[in-house]
């Protein structure tokens, strides 16, 4: 360990500069803007007190963003947990090709949200093989114009992207469980369901917890796929916070109002993640997994 | 839980089936980029192939408006490379200070990094845009690079890794009269190759596929990144599915090649991050 305050600060200086210019100043500016009616262009603007916030809370786009985030979470989190768990369950401890599988499953993580959205748009287009196939059974779905299916499609795209990444974490979790534990359990005559609930799950819990927290975090930051596929529609069914803020700030140019929405979004995000985290920890503790 | 031989074969079968499902969208993209235009999006696996989509893309299409695809590709390379390089340099520097230097205020900086890392970034979008605009940087490369010149995640990863490096290495170098920059550059970083690969791949991939920020700070055709051009060109009402897949291939293939090239080091590095 070195003791020279100067060099320490010198090495940390990129962060300090960055934190001032791209964190502290924007943060204060954002709060200031949220009390104005500034439109991103006009030199004149007025203070409106808390009007922006009151207006925002009443706005259908903001209300939709609030609920869409949780609906999205309800669809995305189980999807991605199930798929990554399945992948990890199948490939952990494989004697050969495990690395190849892990790399292969990781590839979707590299996809641009624009590209995966365009591919899915093609796969679900009116005359696509998939829709033609469904039509044989008399099923006709306009995937992106139906509120529920549009939400599910976006959730599925993002689950596809993250499955391999989370499977990596879960595989490491599975492999950290010692074989001796299972052997001892087998001698004691433990049934498969007991084995899963009493041994695998508690020992996998730390990895599972990580994946849960990460996937919940993802749910609050959806933009690209929604922008590319639905624009937040149909009728706000996929209107995420980022989408709403982008529309208000850069399409409607209501910078003041959009800043208020961004503050609401941040508070909701921060509080939700905190609460969910606490609940997960309590759940783990109550079951004796932690 | 490896199980019997039969169980193992079964698991391999499932694993291969899952893998095919997972990479299917990529296969679909590549096949459709070469598919005859009558078959694009009409067949699960096209049977007739043509180079027409790529020709269309590079010649500018029937309208004759040459779209700057190659230019956009190079814009993406410039922005992603510069941004990633800066993020890695600043990340390693700050992490070295946090992990291996003892100075007043270190704990404060450490906590600030963690706090900022978990702070919802959406609140910063509009004022960051205004800072760039007021600095006269709107519609420049710098606008895309500067706000993404530092990654707190990189700081976090490097800090954790550097902490595991024994202090004796650093003290020995110190006795030999090496400066802090030399220690970081010649001793610490060469010991951190695997984590550097992981950090590099994640940062580069994330920068390469950024949409929102690059979309709002740049307007000129000549400056658009490939991802933004793809998004604008084939938006909600875009036609020409064939060229759309060709452009998608152009965006996706480089990043996959990069990843496969480094996959061995990536696997090693991930072992550390997953601990």
């Amino acid at each position: 360990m070195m003791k020279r305050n100067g060099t320490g600060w010198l090495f940390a200086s990129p962060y300090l500069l960055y934190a001032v210019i791209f964190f502290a100043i924007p943060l204060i500016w954002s709060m200031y803007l949220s009390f104005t009616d500034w439109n991103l262009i006009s030199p004149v603007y007025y203070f409106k007190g808390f009007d922006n916030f009151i207006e925002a809370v009443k706005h259908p786009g903001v209300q939709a963003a609030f609920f869409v985030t949780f609906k999205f979470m309800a669809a995305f989190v189980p999807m991605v947990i199930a798929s990554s768990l399945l992948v990890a369950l199948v490939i952990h401890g494989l004697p050969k090709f495990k690395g190849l599988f892990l790399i292969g499953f990781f590839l979707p993580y590299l996809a641009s949200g624009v590209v995966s959205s365009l591919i899915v748009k093609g796969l679900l287009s009116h005359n696509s093989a998939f829709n033609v196939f469904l039509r044989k059974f008399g099923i006709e779905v306009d995937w992106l114009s139906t509120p529920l299916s549009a939400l599910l499609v976006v959730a599925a795209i993002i689950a596809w992207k993250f499955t391999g990444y989370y499977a990596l974490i879960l595989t490491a979790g599975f492999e950290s469980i010692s074989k001796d534990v299972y052997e001892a359990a087998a001698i004691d005559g433990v049934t498969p369901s007991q084995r899963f609930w009493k041994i695998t799950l508690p020992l996998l819990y730390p990895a599972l917890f990580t994946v849960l927290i990460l996937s919940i975090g993802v749910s609050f930051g959806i933009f690209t796929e929604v922008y590319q596929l639905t624009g937040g529609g149909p009728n706000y069914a996929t209107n995420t916070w980022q989408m709403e803020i982008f529309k208000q700030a850069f399409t409607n140019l209501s910078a003041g109002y959009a800043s208020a929405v961004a503050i609401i979004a941040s508070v909701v995000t921060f509080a939700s993640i905190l609460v969910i985290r606490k609940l997960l920890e309590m759940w783990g503790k109550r079951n004796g997994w932690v | 839980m490896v199980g019997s031989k039969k169980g193992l074969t079964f698991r391999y079968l499932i694993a291969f089936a899952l893998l095919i499902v997972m990479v299917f969208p990529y296969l679909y993209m590549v096949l459709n980029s070469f598919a005859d235009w009558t078959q694009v999006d009409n067949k699960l696996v096209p049977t007739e192939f043509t180079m027409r989509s790529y020709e269309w893309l590079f010649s500018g299409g029937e309208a004759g408006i040459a779209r700057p695809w190659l230019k956009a590709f190079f814009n993406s390379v410039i922005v992603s490379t510069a941004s990633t390089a800066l993020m890695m340099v600043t990340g390693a520097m700050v992490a070295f200070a946090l992990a291996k230097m003892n100075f007043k205020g270190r704990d404060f900086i450490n906590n600030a990094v963690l706090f900022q890392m978990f702070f919802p970034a959406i609140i910063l979008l509009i004022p960051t845009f205004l800072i760039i605009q007021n600095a006269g940087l709107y519609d420049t490369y710098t606008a895309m690079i500067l706000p993404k010149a530092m990654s707190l995640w990189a700081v976090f990863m490097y800090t954790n890794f550097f902490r595991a490096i024994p202090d004796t290495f650093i003290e020995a170098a110190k006795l030999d009269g090496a400066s802090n920059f030399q220690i970081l550059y010649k001793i610490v970083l060469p010991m951190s190759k695997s984590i550097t690969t992981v950090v590099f791949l994640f940062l580069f991939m994330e920068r390469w596929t950024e949409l929102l920020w690059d979309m709002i700070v740049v307007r000129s055709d000549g400056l658009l990144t490939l991802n933004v051009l793809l998004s604008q060109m084939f938006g909600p009402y875009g036609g020409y599915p064939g060229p759309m897949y060709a452009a998608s291939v152009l965006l996706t293939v480089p990043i996959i090649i990069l990843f496969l090239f480094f996959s061995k080091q990536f696997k090693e590095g991930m072992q550390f991050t997953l601990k």
Side-chain angles (χ1 to χ4, degrees), chain B residues 136-198:
Chain B
L137 294 172
Y138 178 71
D139 210 18
T140 61
Y141 283 127
T142 318
M144 292 187 274
I145 295 166
L146 207 55
K148 294 186 183 292
M150 172 136 215
S151 156
L152 300 170
W153 176 78
V155 173
F156 177 76
M157 296 295 282
Y158 267 133
T159 307
N160 283 344
F161 194 87
F162 290 170
R163 278 194 184 131
I165 294 175
D167 283 337
T168 45
F169 284 104
I170 291 157
E171 266 146 29
K174 199 93 207 177
L175 286 177
D176 290 342
S179 73
N180 283 313
F181 276 103
Q182 284 171 330
I183 294 173
L184 174 61
Y185 181 68
K186 290 197 175 145
I187 296 170
V188 174
L189 281 179
M191 292 173 87
S192 317
K193 273 185 191 144
S194 57
I195 191 77
T196 297
T197 314
V198 169

Side-chain angles (χ1 to χ4, degrees), chain B residues 211-232:
Chain B
L211 178 70
L212 179 56
W213 181 253
D214 294 353
M215 189 165 81
I216 61 181
V217 290
V218 160
R219 185 189 42 199
S220 315
D221 271 358
L223 281 176
L224 296 180
T225 61
L226 190 54
N227 203 35
V228 175
L229 184 63
L230 181 65
S231 166
Q232 289 186 354

Side-chain angles (χ1 to χ4, degrees), chain A residues 134-148:
Chain A
L134 287 184
R135 228 166 277 142
K136 279 185 196 157
F137 302 96
I139 303 167
E140 179 88 65
V141 185
D142 195 346
W143 294 96
L144 297 172
S145 309
T146 315
L148 179 65

Side-chain angles (χ1 to χ4, degrees), chain B residues 3-4 17-18 30 39 44 60 72 94 96 104 114 118 120 125 134 138 152 160 162 172 202 204 230 239 243 257 274:
Chain B
S4 62
L18 283 173
V30 173
Q39 293 194 331
L44 208 55
V94 176
F96 186 62
K104 229 181 178 163
L114 286 178
F118 292 106
L125 181 71
N134 279 300
Y138 178 71
L152 300 170
N160 283 344
F162 290 170
F202 271 88
F204 191 86
L230 181 65
I257 289 174
L274 296 177

Side-chain angles (χ1 to χ4, degrees), chain A residues 1-3 5 7 9 15 21 26 30 90 92 96 106-107 109 111-112 121-122 127-128 160 168 228 266, chain B residues 11-12 22 26 41-42 102-104 112 116 122-123 127 131 134 171 180 205 227 231 235 245 259 270:
Chain A
M1 283 285 177
M2 297 160 232
K3 275 211 194 285
N5 286 341
T7 9
W9 284 93
Y15 171 68
I21 300 172
S30 187
V90 172
H92 81 275
K96 269 186 196 160
F106 195 81
L107 290 180
Y109 188 72
S112 149
K121 204 174 87 173
N127 287 319
S128 72
W160 172 72
L168 221 69
Q228 198 65 38
S266 302
Chain B
R11 272 171 65 190
Y12 273 112
M22 287 295 280
Y26 281 143
D41 280 336
N42 284 332
N102 198 4
F103 60 99
K104 229 181 178 163
Q116 200 182 331
I122 183 68
I123 198 171
I131 287 173
N134 279 300
E171 266 146 29
N180 283 313
M205 185 279 299
N227 203 35
S231 166
Y245 287 113
F259 178 78
M270 284 307 273

Side-chain angles (χ1 to χ4, degrees), chain A residues 38-120:
Chain A
W38 194 44
N39 66 5
L40 213 55
I41 297 161
S42 155
V44 201
Y45 58 88
Y46 300 99
F47 281 93
K48 300 173 72 180
F50 283 93
D51 284 6
N52 281 332
F53 290 91
I54 296 164
E55 220 177 291
V57 174
K58 287 184 188 158
H59 191 273
V62 173
Q63 290 172 356
F66 181 84
F67 291 111
V68 163
T69 306
F70 291 108
K71 280 186 215 162
F72 179 81
M73 207 187 289
F76 165 70
V77 174
M79 267 187 209
V80 80
I81 296 283
S83 59
S84 55
L85 210 52
L86 179 65
V87 169
L89 211 59
V90 172
I91 62 172
H92 81 275
L94 283 183
K96 269 186 196 160
F97 305 124
K98 198 188 74 189
L100 180 88
F101 282 128
L102 284 175
I103 293 289
F105 284 116
F106 195 81
L107 290 180
Y109 188 72
L110 306 173
S112 149
V114 177
V115 169
S116 51
S117 301
L118 291 176
I119 294 171
V120 166

